[in-house]
Amino acid sequence: MVNLGKVYSLQHLEPGKKIYFASDFHLGVPDRNRSLQRERMIIKWLEHIKLDASAIFFVGDVFDFWFEYKHAIPKGFVRFQGKLAELCDEGISVFLFAGNHDFCYSDYLNKELGIVLFKRPIQININNKRFLIGHGDGLGRGNYLYNVIKKILTAKIPKWIFQWIHPDIGITLAKFWSNANKKRNQRKDEIFRGEDEILFNYCQDVEKKRHHDFYVFGHRHMPLEMNLSDQSTYFNLGEWMTSNSYLKFDGEKAVLLSFSL
């Protein structure tokens, strides 16, 4: 269960301004050409929404793999990083959540681009609406083994050891593991489980303890809108390999949309 103690706040939205949410770009797969095509589509979307965006939340697995060495980062994605720096420079707040593929962030994106990084779900008030936002991996019942493995992989000593592996070797190994893991879980992840959706059940459990107007998660790779009650809704943001889906919040209502040229 996520720690529900601290609640963040954003200032009230100015008239006409919006908050946007997207996740699971998985930049870097399945190959350079298709990843670059997707990256360009994302940049066009960002160019489209920046006209009325007050803040943008990237809710995990933006990169299919990310690991920051002391003096190096994974090659590529410069167009996307440049666009993020531009958005931050123009006064748009940009927030990034660590996912289960790109969880090894340090301080590069914050120092160089101005992005605010979160490594676990957060509560945040926006325009007097309470959100619970996170990538979604490891939440809910039945994830004990996964959470143990993730805790080990993100601990200081394993990360320190990995830093001493040459990036050409370390990144290659990590990409191989990522692709193998994706193939193992692909069929399972594509099945909609209705009210047995693990993240939906997790939101139900949280809602019994503390009310949130909107629950916003990624990870499941399918755009979902499911009512927890008349006053509370669970959204899954889907992905950008096929659906190009995102969430727009206008200060009162949230709606799932799909971007196309």
Side-chain angles (χ1 to χ4, degrees):
M1 180 70 67
V2 66
N3 182 357
L4 297 178
K6 185 175 181 180
V7 180
Y8 297 87
S9 292
L10 285 180
Q11 61 185 9
H12 286 280
L13 286 177
E14 298 176 8
K17 289 295 185 178
K18 310 291 191 299
I19 307 289
Y20 291 93
F21 305 81
S23 73
D24 292 87
F25 298 159
H26 286 278
L27 291 173
V29 295
D31 54 55
R32 183 184 183 278
N33 288 336
R34 280 180 284 183
S35 174
L36 182 57
Q37 182 180 12
R38 186 161 67 253
E39 183 179 2
R40 286 173 170 153
M41 174 73 78
I42 293 165
I43 290 169
K44 289 178 180 178
W45 170 66
L46 291 172
E47 188 68 23
H48 172 71
I49 67 172
K50 78 172 188 177
L51 300 175
D52 63 4
S54 176
I56 305 171
F57 288 81
F58 297 102
V59 190
D61 283 359
V62 168
F63 307 101
D64 196 67
F65 170 74
W66 186 269
F67 187 91
E68 292 180 31
Y69 294 85
K70 185 175 181 180
H71 299 294
I73 59 171
K75 186 169 71 174
F77 326 121
V78 293
R79 294 167 180 83
F80 178 65
Q81 292 180 56
K83 177 58 67 173
L84 296 186
E86 175 189 316
L87 295 173
C88 291
D89 288 347
E90 292 180 3
I92 298 173
S93 299
V94 179
F95 303 93
L96 176 68
F97 287 75
N100 56 303
H101 280 259
D102 55 1
F103 55 81
C104 287
Y105 291 107
S106 185
D107 60 0
Y108 170 79
L109 295 174
N110 176 259
K111 287 185 175 180
E112 296 298 326
L113 309 184
I115 292 170
V116 177
L117 176 67
F118 294 107
K119 296 186 178 181
R120 56 182 58 85
I122 65 164
Q123 293 180 106
I124 187 167
N125 291 331
I126 309 174
N127 243 41
N128 295 320
K129 299 291 185 180
R130 177 168 285 184
F131 288 74
L132 181 61
I133 309 168
H135 182 61
D137 59 307
L139 300 181
R141 306 159 196 165
N143 282 300
Y144 177 77
L145 179 59
Y146 169 82
N147 285 321
V148 170
I149 294 173
K150 183 175 180 179
K151 190 172 183 179
I152 292 172
L153 291 176
T154 56
K156 289 183 178 180
I157 293 177
K159 289 173 68 175
W160 180 83
I161 293 172
F162 193 84
Q163 285 180 338
W164 287 98
I165 301 174
H166 191 282
D168 287 350
I169 298 173
I171 292 175
T172 299
L173 290 173
K175 286 182 176 180
F176 176 81
W177 175 85
S178 175
N179 289 331
N181 188 57
K182 192 182 283 88
K183 289 177 181 178
R184 282 195 302 270
N185 293 319
Q186 187 172 25
R187 182 175 298 176
K188 179 177 65 176
D189 288 344
E190 291 176 350
I191 298 173
F192 174 59
R193 301 183 180 89
E195 293 200 354
D196 289 329
E197 280 282 317
I198 293 176
L199 284 174
F200 178 70
N201 294 154
Y202 169 78
C203 295
Q204 287 178 314
D205 291 340
V206 173
E207 186 66 13
K208 292 174 184 176
K209 297 187 175 183
R210 181 175 293 181
H211 170 68
H212 298 81
D213 298 283
F214 302 107
Y215 293 81
V216 182
F217 292 96
H219 187 55
R220 286 290 284 124
H221 286 203
M222 54 182 70
L224 296 173
E225 178 179 352
M226 302 176 69
N227 291 328
L228 294 157
S229 70
D230 291 339
Q231 293 80 35
S232 185
T233 306
Y234 158 66
F235 289 100
N236 196 281
L237 297 170
E239 44 73 34
W240 277 68
M241 278 74 75
T242 57
S243 65
N244 299 344
S245 49
Y246 65 98
L247 186 71
K248 179 173 74 173
F249 175 65
D250 65 4
E252 290 293 330
K253 297 182 296 183
V255 57
L256 273 173
L257 299 168
S258 181
F259 180 71
S260 60
L261 297 177

